[in-house]
Amino acid sequence: MALSSSGTGSGTGIGTAGPETPESGTAGPDTPAARRPTRGLLPLLLAGNSAMYALYIGVGGMLLALQIEDIDPANKVANFGLVAGVSAIFATVFNPVAGALPTGPDGATRGSWAAVCSRCR
């Protein structure tokens, strides 16, 4: 249905394409080549992201809080807020700064770390 205007052509008129068959060498909608090869990727991405999120929240939320509690048990909530606030400000300021730094060996190349890794091959 390459050029049909209604999208429901019978396959015999001018400007329409007939149903694709396996004999013609093209992949129809029910052939294995037309299926998505990433069918199991989405659940794996969900599991991986959930595990990383739990790890980072566990480290930042539990271990840091326990260390601050060992230092000053009386003011643990205020100290945790101070440490979390200062680290958020540093992350907000210095992540874009670190991303803008030149990354090439000659100091002139600007870009991501992926560009540097692709040069190492």
Side-chain angles (χ1 to χ4, degrees):
M1 295 188 219
L3 299 174
S4 90
S5 60
S6 66
T8 57
S10 64
T12 59
I14 298 174
T16 60
E20 297 170 347
T21 60
E23 294 86 26
S24 66
T26 58
D30 295 329
T31 60
R35 288 189 214 138
R36 293 187 339 214
T38 59
R39 186 174 187 105
L41 183 62
L42 193 59
L44 288 175
L45 284 173
L46 177 67
N49 282 338
S50 299
M52 284 193 338
Y53 185 74
L55 178 73
Y56 286 128
I57 294 300
V59 169
M62 290 301 298
L63 295 180
L64 181 61
L66 290 173
Q67 287 179 346
I68 290 175
E69 184 180 17
D70 285 343
I71 294 170
D72 186 13
N75 298 320
K76 61 184 175 183
V77 175
N79 291 335
F80 182 75
L82 180 67
V83 169
V86 169
S87 66
I89 290 170
F90 271 85
T92 302
V93 171
F94 288 111
N95 279 335
V97 169
L101 290 176
T103 56
D106 57 353
T109 306
R110 297 175 63 96
S112 66
W113 290 103
V116 173
C117 292
S118 67
R119 296 172 113 193
C120 296
R121 288 190 251 172

